[in-house]
Amino acid sequence: MSIHRAGTEIVNWYLLEEGGKVTIVDAGLPAYRPQLGGALRAIGRTLEDVEAIVLTHAHIDHVGFSQLLQDERGTPVYAHEAELPQAQTGKAPRTEGSWVSAVLHYSTARKVVFHIVRNGGARPPKVVRVGAFADGDELDVPGRPRVVATPGHSPGHCALHVPGEGAAFMGDALCGWQTVTGEPGPILPPREFSNSMTRARESLARIEALDAQTLYFGHGDPWTAGAPAAVAEARARDARAT
Ligand SMILES: [Zn+2]
């Protein structure tokens, strides 16, 4: 089994490989589709080996090229049941803060939003067929990730635990850097892009309990010092900020 990071300095997406078969975990932005061939080559695999796309949540910088690949190859796409409305309509649920004011006040937020818009995020695709999963499911896809519901950033946000790798995909439940202020992480996602900070804080307990040494973020470099230490840092930063 192996995990391979792809994407840009702004947005990560991942390949989870097991026995020569591949799950795409989050699919970057729509315009990242051309990155897929190179990412697969880097682990010695091809498009034929891709069996599924699994989404931590349905924000556009994670749905990415899902629909393109489903159109091309019929690739199954999976997300938590509470993420299906956004995945299938492209409409994001209400957030606690205004991303417009974030863009006005923070250069990092400007950089992130402009990058998303330039890479196909202005008109989010609607994913036609999305299979629903639920908290606690072990997904029957390469790597067999286990679903750990971590709502807050979005209503059905999930982390994906890969016990065999001692790793977990965080999506944006925790970030490697804060996507509005640019503050280094591990850190909670910004309220301007999040549905409920109260729930996001509550979800930290579930991340803390994961038997995972390495955390892979939607944004930023992997964390290798274990889940409890990552959550401790995020809580300390949150306490200083509020
Ligand atoms: Zn994101």
Side-chain angles (χ1 to χ4, degrees), residues 39-128:
L40 288 164
R41 264 194 306 283
I43 60 167
R45 312 294 358 144
T46 71
L47 260 184
E48 311 292 320
D49 301 317
V50 175
E51 297 204 337
I53 299 172
V54 176
L55 304 176
T56 60
H57 63 300
H59 286 169
I60 182 58
D61 54 323
H62 299 255
V63 170
F65 55 81
S66 296
Q67 185 59 50
L68 290 169
L69 201 60
Q70 186 167 90
D71 286 347
E72 287 171 42
R73 308 190 53 85
T75 310
V77 177
Y78 300 99
H80 186 274
E81 48 205 345
E83 294 295 299
L84 264 53
Q86 181 176 3
Q88 296 183 314
T89 65
K91 290 197 188 70
R94 176 186 288 275
T95 58
E96 281 195 354
S98 155
W99 65 266
V100 176
S101 94
V103 163
L104 289 175
H105 291 101
Y106 294 98
S107 63
T108 298
R110 273 195 292 282
K111 194 165 85 169
V112 168
V113 169
F114 291 164
H115 179 81
I116 289 173
V117 168
R118 268 201 311 276
N119 286 280
R123 279 182 295 129
K126 303 167 176 63
V127 187
V128 178

Side-chain angles (χ1 to χ4, degrees), residues 98-183:
S98 155
W99 65 266
V100 176
S101 94
V103 163
L104 289 175
H105 291 101
Y106 294 98
S107 63
T108 298
R110 273 195 292 282
K111 194 165 85 169
V112 168
V113 169
F114 291 164
H115 179 81
I116 289 173
V117 168
R118 268 201 311 276
N119 286 280
R123 279 182 295 129
K126 303 167 176 63
V127 187
V128 178
R129 280 177 290 118
V130 188
F133 55 65
D135 185 34
D137 286 357
E138 185 183 289
L139 303 180
D140 189 17
V141 300
R144 301 199 68 82
R146 196 174 58 81
V147 175
V148 181
T150 50
H153 182 58
S154 64
H157 190 289
C158 290
L160 296 162
H161 185 208
V162 187
E165 275 286 298
F169 298 101
M170 287 293 104
D172 294 347
L174 275 184
C175 297
W177 48 271
Q178 215 262 28
T179 49
V180 164
T181 63
E183 189 184 348

